[in-house]
Amino acid sequence: MKVIKIDKKDWAGGLDKASSGYRFFGPVEDKECHNFKELDKGELPDFNFSNTRLSAKSVVFPQTEAMFEYSLDENEADHHLMKECRKNDAPRAVLGIRPCDASAFLLVKRNFDNPEYRDPWWVKAYESTTFAGLACNNPCASCFCTSAGCGPFDEKGLDVLLVDAGDHFLAKVVTEKGRKMLAAAGWNAETDADIEALKKDAESKISSFVPTDKLKDKTTMELYNAAFWEEAAFACLNCGTCTYSCPTCWCFDIQDESKGKSGIRMRNWDSCMYPLFTLHGSGHNPRGTKIHRVRQRFMHKLKYYVDKYGDGIQCVGCGRCIRLCPVNIDIRKICEKMNSYEPKAGDCNR
Amino acid sequence: MSNYTDKIREISERLLKEGRVDMVIGFKQGTMPMMNEPCFVKKPEDVSKLVWDSHCGINLANYLTDRKEKIGVIAKGCDSRNIVTHIIENKIKREQLVIIGVPCKGMIDRRKIASMSDAEILSVAEQNGKVIVKTKDAEKRYERTDLLQKNCALCVHRNPVIYDELAADLVEEQKNVDRYADIREIEAMPPDEKWHLFDDLFSACIRCYACRNACPLCYCPTCFVDESRPQWVGKSTDPIDTKTFHFLRAYHCAGRCTDCGACERACPVGINMRLLTRKLEKDCFESFGWEAGLSLDQRPPLDVYKTNDPEDFIK
Amino acid sequence: MGIEPDRLHFSWISSAESTKFVEVVTGVTEAVRALGPHQKFVKTNVKVA
């Protein structure tokens, strides 16, 4: 694959040039942390970050997304009919997404874009997006991406991999989409610079490793009934921080809201940590306690997903849930517990 | 405060051995710098798991709600006041508890430390009133008193108000603390300015409810934001809904909040929602001379009626 | 929290105090009219992005 050298002094100019063809999204600092937002004309992404507070999933899958509109005004011909909202699906480019967040989209894709179901909103947004990732030269101590099928220079899920090399970026072209974006910006100085050494250096800085090799051979019900869940779940507050900050959590809830005679049907992120998530109309809740809910989160990510897709865990090792959890519940420790679990006689927790 | 750990272990071991409690609720060493995890210990041989340092900011009263066991609970000043509130509100019985009081010198503000460093913080330790912050390439020392959590810097009840055991000698309470300087500034603002301030304050909220769930006062079986028949508050990221949640939650805490700081500490995006709870705390103090959780014999002002209640606002 | 003080009024009026009722309601109406329509805390439908 080609590598293009982009001088940092040509960065703003190139983005400006490409901005006629793309809506740009990038990390911007606000209130002491970075998050992704749509960049205004001329606004530059701020790459002075280790990772954004929240993941980039909201660019494709917003926390609140209008799906349908309707009118309750009987004078209108199409009253009480759900009409799909017209969305801006002009090409967009996400600048500076970390490889972990980009590869998370591939895991999420299994839910939103599969042979049985294609979610029109997610698919349109995803397909219109070019992902120009920024390699992680200095991974955090809480990142364990290399244990989660990813890595600081991982290319899957990306269209371009940018590597910060001091006064310039090295842009590795991964897909045709990526090549087009670089061309639109007028960046075309091919170089034979090698990013392998930088990649090795970054990978060697990963200090956190999590064994996942035995998860698929564990018996689901034995793990489900393991005694350690009581202890593991004790501290949990059942807030939604882990799920909302997670780039691979995809659950949502659909709500109608109307004002006057017009209304919308929208979806909002939901969280398996909330009691309401599984509450039945009858009042029964199959996941009625904290232990049920904590177990579900980890079993889904580290066992059900592993079994269902046969392609590793539903986690990219970005470490956000570890860093943001108010009570320090650490997925690495839980994964270790699950991976090394051997049932003992009488060991049961229902 | 780290020498508290030995004493806490000693007391816990004794309580468990003597069968006075079924479990001790405390903290175990966290996996991240400046983080500890609330935990329980049920066997005397496991007490070595328990630790105490300046990162035990989560309010453990939150873990007592509706429990049926006999519990030894470790309590700082604020935790103890919330335990009092829990007892008054019938969320736990006094007889179920052995309170291991921890005279507290304040918890350390992990966000402040993180914001002072450009590099990732790898460890934080304490020595003789100094906090030693290590990053990959540097080691910096700070005065501990400069790094306290905001609520701890303003705290006037560091000693537990109710306890059966003590993990250390009582500490001197902070005197002449002006708890409400920032609140008075907001009170003096014209309405538009206030509106703008709260707009900005809650703009980063992701509705994860970590503040509510970390709060020992928020134990309603179904929170008003979770009600669906009828649905009082919208579920989207609409700023009006977000503010409705924060304003109403704060009102539900009026006269009960001890300013333990659990809400702000838990918030993943660092929102200072204590601006709301402290305004109500201030009002309760000024109107009723009330500070929450100091006595088992008095009910909070908003759940009692007194003929001399101030009512100047009624025309 | 940013609501103008004149928008919110409390009064205790006995059913026998008809004159006071009229005075209070007139006063409230005038005070709120002077402020104009309330723009804050008014929700609009979610925007379509």
Side-chain angles (χ1 to χ4, degrees):
Chain A
M1 282 288 179
K2 277 198 301 191
V3 175
I4 306 265
K5 183 179 169 184
I6 307 170
D7 247 306
K8 283 193 179 166
K9 61 180 167 41
D10 299 332
W11 176 244
L15 290 181
D16 188 52
K17 199 170 157 201
S19 68
S20 56
Y22 292 93
R23 290 167 69 192
F24 284 119
F25 292 76
V28 173
E29 189 174 4
D30 183 30
K31 298 195 164 95
E32 295 188 0
C33 65
H34 284 76
N35 273 316
F36 280 91
K37 75 177 249 309
E38 183 164 2
L39 302 174
D40 298 325
K41 178 94 181 140
E43 188 180 12
L44 292 175
D46 177 5
F47 285 174
N48 184 23
F49 70 111
S50 55
N51 208 347
T52 50
R53 180 73 58 99
L54 301 176
S55 82
K57 77 173 167 186
S58 58
V59 174
V60 170
F61 175 40
Q63 183 166 4
T64 294
E65 178 168 38
M67 306 161 82
F68 300 100
E69 296 169 290
Y70 55 85
S71 167
L72 302 172
D73 183 353
E74 300 200 354
N75 296 319
E76 285 184 29
D78 54 359
H79 68 88
H80 290 86
L81 289 179
M82 289 281 173
K83 292 168 288 179
E84 193 177 324
C85 295
R86 288 175 68 90
K87 295 285 175 68
N88 181 354
D89 47 17
R92 23 175 135 176
V94 181
L95 305 168
I97 183 173
R98 291 295 187 191
C100 50
D101 281 2
S103 72
F105 281 109
L106 300 179
L107 305 191
V108 174
K109 194 167 187 280
R110 294 201 165 103
N111 182 57
F112 286 117
D113 184 7
N114 57 53
E116 287 111 71
Y117 175 71
R118 297 194 85 208
D119 181 282
W121 299 277
W122 192 91
V123 168
K124 264 186 214 161
Y126 181 70
E127 288 183 346
S128 64
T129 307
T130 302
F131 294 96
L134 181 64
C136 245
N137 290 338
N138 291 301
C140 300
S142 47
C143 294
F144 56 104
C145 50
T146 51
S147 300
C150 191
F153 277 56
D154 195 76
E155 292 162 23
K156 60 174 182 303
L158 286 177
D159 299 300
V160 178
L161 175 70
L162 295 170
V163 181
D164 191 328
D167 60 353
H168 61 277
F169 292 110
L170 295 171
K172 184 166 179 187
V173 185
V174 184
T175 66
E176 176 60 16
K177 242 182 180 177
R179 190 197 61 76
K180 277 190 185 150
M181 194 204 88
L182 293 175
W187 296 318
N188 51 20
E190 270 189 56
T191 161
D192 50 9
D194 188 15
I195 60 172
E196 277 306 307
L198 291 164
K199 179 178 173 176
K200 291 242 158 58
D201 181 49
E203 281 174 357
S204 73
K205 287 180 192 160
I206 297 275
S207 54
S208 193
F209 303 95
V210 185
T212 61
D213 55 318
K214 296 188 188 127
L215 290 168
K216 67 175 185 310
D217 298 328
K218 299 287 168 195
T219 308
T220 302
M221 286 315 290
E222 283 175 359
L223 271 184
Y224 185 90
N225 288 324
F228 64 73
W229 292 115
E230 186 194 1
E231 209 191 329
F234 177 77
C236 181
L237 301 170
N238 268 184
C239 73
T241 301
C242 49
T243 51
Y244 284 4
S245 62
C246 177
T248 70
C249 275
W250 60 52
C251 289
F252 60 83
D253 173 43
I254 295 177
Q255 292 258 322
D256 284 3
E257 263 185 19
S258 51
K259 183 172 164 112
K261 299 226 163 184
S262 67
I264 55 141
R265 175 162 293 180
M266 62 180 162
R267 65 174 171 201
N268 300 302
W269 291 352
D270 203 351
S271 169
C272 54
M273 293 292 104
Y274 299 159
L276 222 62
F277 186 73
T278 45
L279 183 64
H280 291 181
S282 67
H284 170 66
N285 195 339
R287 280 187 219 135
T289 70
K290 175 159 90 174
I291 294 177
H292 285 105
R293 298 191 278 273
V294 171
R295 174 172 59 192
Q296 164 63 21
R297 171 170 153 77
F298 291 113
M299 285 293 277
H300 187 200
K301 290 206 174 302
L302 305 175
K303 180 60 182 167
Y304 308 147
Y305 188 93
V306 172
D307 291 349
K308 183 167 178 183
Y309 297 109
D311 186 32
I313 56 178
Q314 191 203 357
C315 170
V316 289
C318 72
R320 283 190 182 86
C321 57
I322 306 168
R323 292 191 292 275
L324 293 179
C325 176
V327 293
N328 195 221
I329 291 178
D330 191 325
I331 191 171
R332 294 172 297 184
K333 267 169 52 192
I334 310 246
C335 190
E336 265 172 43
K337 276 200 177 116
M338 289 172 69
N339 197 61
S340 62
Y341 180 68
E342 294 298 339
K344 283 183 272 203
D347 201 10
C348 173
N349 174 51
R350 274 164 222 274
Chain B
M1 285 196 293
S2 47
N3 51 344
Y4 290 22
T5 299
D6 294 338
K7 189 72 185 168
I8 286 172
R9 289 178 185 169
E10 183 193 314
I11 297 168
S12 305
E13 189 176 4
R14 173 161 46 83
L15 294 175
L16 287 164
K17 269 191 182 151
E18 291 172 358
R20 286 175 63 198
V21 297
D22 304 319
M23 65 185 339
V24 173
I25 294 180
F27 286 92
K28 67 177 173 187
Q29 184 68 53
T31 60
M32 296 283 292
M34 302 183 279
M35 288 299 285
N36 289 323
E37 182 182 341
C39 72
F40 61 80
V41 172
K42 290 183 177 173
K43 297 180 200 145
E45 59 269 29
D46 291 341
V47 295
S48 57
K49 207 160 83 167
L50 295 169
V51 295
W52 192 269
D53 59 21
S54 300
H55 315 297
C56 298
I58 289 292
N59 192 324
L60 293 181
N62 201 22
Y63 293 89
L64 299 176
T65 312
D66 293 331
R67 287 204 86 104
K68 304 294 175 228
E69 304 95 327
K70 283 184 294 173
I71 300 169
V73 60
I74 297 163
K76 311 181 282 289
C78 50
D79 304 45
S80 76
R81 292 172 67 196
N82 281 102
I83 291 170
V84 167
T85 306
H86 253 46
I87 296 168
I88 291 176
E89 296 178 355
N90 296 321
K91 297 322 287 177
I92 192 93
K93 290 198 181 73
R94 179 68 181 94
E95 308 79 75
Q96 276 175 272
L97 298 177
V98 177
I99 301 168
I100 306 167
V102 175
C104 176
K105 291 171 192 159
M107 292 293 137
I108 285 180
D109 188 339
R110 64 191 168 108
R111 285 209 185 85
K112 188 167 186 180
I113 294 185
S115 70
M116 292 189 319
S117 167
D118 285 334
E120 187 185 12
I121 289 161
L122 298 179
S123 80
V124 173
E126 270 180 71
Q127 217 172 45
N128 306 328
K130 295 272 193 299
V131 177
I132 306 153
V133 179
K134 277 192 191 151
T135 57
K136 193 167 142 281
D137 307 310
E139 179 180 308
K140 282 189 186 151
R141 282 165 182 264
Y142 302 96
E143 286 297 323
R144 186 178 188 282
T145 43
D146 295 338
L147 295 176
L148 292 184
Q149 256 179 220
K150 281 179 272 177
N151 64 309
C152 299
L154 297 175
C155 177
V156 290
H157 295 286
R158 296 180 143 185
N159 290 307
V161 298
I162 179 176
Y163 55 85
D164 304 298
E165 304 270 351
L166 269 185
D169 293 335
L170 295 178
V171 295
E172 199 182 333
E173 294 291 357
Q174 302 193 103
K175 300 258 163 49
N176 303 320
V177 178
D178 181 4
R179 285 187 57 75
Y180 305 115
D182 50 346
I183 304 295
R184 283 195 303 271
E185 268 176 44
I186 299 174
E187 283 171 343
M189 288 178 182
D192 279 339
E193 213 171 303
K194 278 188 205 167
W195 181 257
H196 180 74
L197 176 113
F198 292 124
D199 238 5
D200 183 60
L201 182 66
F202 296 115
S203 62
C205 177
I206 56 169
R207 296 284 290 272
C208 68
Y209 303 131
C211 50
R212 175 192 74 185
N213 294 12
C215 177
L217 304 171
C218 279
Y219 53 66
C220 287
T222 307
C223 177
F224 72 98
V225 289
D226 291 337
E227 291 274 4
S228 55
R229 295 178 196 165
Q231 186 170 311
W232 305 106
V233 189
K235 300 267 187 190
S236 73
T237 47
D238 184 285
I240 301 290
D241 288 327
T242 302
K243 268 189 278 193
T244 304
F245 159 63
H246 283 286
F247 287 152
L248 282 180
R249 194 190 85 81
Y251 271 105
H252 289 179
C253 301
R256 304 163 66 223
C257 175
T258 60
D259 198 30
C260 72
C263 48
E264 188 179 358
R265 186 182 172 91
C267 179
V269 293
I271 293 171
N272 178 10
M273 61 288 281
R274 290 173 44 254
L275 285 178
L276 299 179
T277 47
R278 279 169 55 246
K279 159 67 178 158
L280 294 160
E281 185 192 292
K282 173 173 179 282
D283 284 359
C284 281
F285 187 69
E286 288 172 356
S287 300
F288 310 105
W290 173 259
E291 288 177 280
L294 295 185
S295 151
L296 283 170
D297 307 321
Q298 266 183 301
R299 296 200 63 86
L302 295 183
D303 76 1
V304 286
Y305 170 74
K306 286 187 184 148
T307 47
N308 62 350
D309 279 344
E311 50 178 36
D312 300 341
F313 62 98
I314 300 179
K315 301 257 157 48
Chain C
M1 50 204 205
I3 309 264
E4 303 90 334
D6 271 358
R7 258 186 221 287
L8 186 63
H9 300 251
F10 291 89
S11 189
W12 186 274
I13 311 170
S14 148
S15 57
E17 295 178 305
S18 57
T19 326
K20 186 178 175 189
F21 180 77
V22 172
E23 279 167 11
V24 169
V25 171
T26 312
V28 170
T29 313
E30 280 169 5
V32 174
R33 189 169 282 147
L35 286 169
H38 185 47
Q39 307 292 347
K40 299 161 188 158
F41 255 114
V42 178
K43 211 180 141 179
T44 47
N45 272 340
V46 170
K47 292 188 186 56
V48 179

